[in-house]
Amino acid sequence: MSDCIFCSIVAGSTAADLVWSDHQTVAFLDARPVFKGHVLVVPRQHHATLADLPGGLVAPVFAVARRISAALPGALGCQGSFIGVNNTVSQSVPHLHVHVVPRTRGDGLRGFFWPRTRYASAAESADYAGRIRAALDRAAATPPGD
Ligand code: DGP
């Protein structure tokens, strides 16, 4: 897409610190990292969100995220990583990107972005689970991207 900054990085028109490139994916340093070494993995093809990603690209994209998360401790001395995808909400670039953020105990991200809540009762949690299962059943006939 012509006005997409990540398509421009994929095309080589915009500079980025690449850490991985293959025929389906590119990974580069996030310009505004949570911690230094924070990587974004993107499909070369423009797809806005995870729901839009064709089924055949899910494994390639997440395989690269897995590979990078495995490499970060040896590369940077961190202890682990956080993997995340913003879809539409809090997504500032509408080209799917998987965040791979280096993590170290005591790095200050205890709790990370999310305030936590509790279900009022077992019935309430069962209701939520039932609504999600029903939606998955409805979607089963036409899986997204397949
Ligand atoms: P999100 O908020 O999940 O959409 O994350 C988008 C990230 O993309 C954000 O952490 C900053 C990063 N970013 C935005 N523009 C550029 C850019 O031009 N180059 C690089 N390397 N990263 C960018």
Side-chain angles (χ1 to χ4, degrees):
M1 248 176 65
S2 60
D3 59 348
C4 171
I5 186 66
F6 288 174
C7 284
S8 177
I9 288 172
V10 166
S13 308
T14 295
D17 296 290
L18 298 192
V19 302
W20 178 268
S21 177
D22 63 33
H23 67 292
Q24 291 173 310
T25 68
V26 174
F28 51 90
L29 293 185
D30 189 306
R32 305 260 333 263
V34 174
F35 294 115
K36 293 173 184 174
H38 174 169
V39 171
L40 302 175
V41 182
V42 305
R44 284 185 175 274
Q45 289 177 4
H46 183 92
H47 301 286
T49 69
L50 185 57
D52 300 314
L53 191 66
L57 285 176
V58 173
V61 168
F62 280 91
V64 173
R66 174 177 182 262
R67 187 184 284 259
I68 290 167
S69 87
L72 288 182
L76 305 177
C78 60
Q79 296 167 327
S81 60
F82 170 81
I83 308 289
V85 179
N86 287 314
N87 293 291
T88 307
V89 177
S90 296
Q91 183 181 9
S92 59
V93 180
H95 180 136
L96 171 75
H97 45 283
V98 180
H99 293 263
V100 184
V101 180
R103 293 295 317 272
T104 301
R105 288 184 193 87
D107 63 16
L109 282 192
R110 200 175 306 158
F112 210 1
F113 317 113
W114 309 287
R116 302 301 178 98
T117 187
R118 291 183 187 281
Y119 293 100
S121 63
E124 188 188 32
S125 61
D127 174 63
Y128 273 77
R131 284 154 55 187
I132 295 167
R133 280 196 304 270
L136 289 170
D137 285 347
R138 285 195 297 275
T142 53
D146 283 342

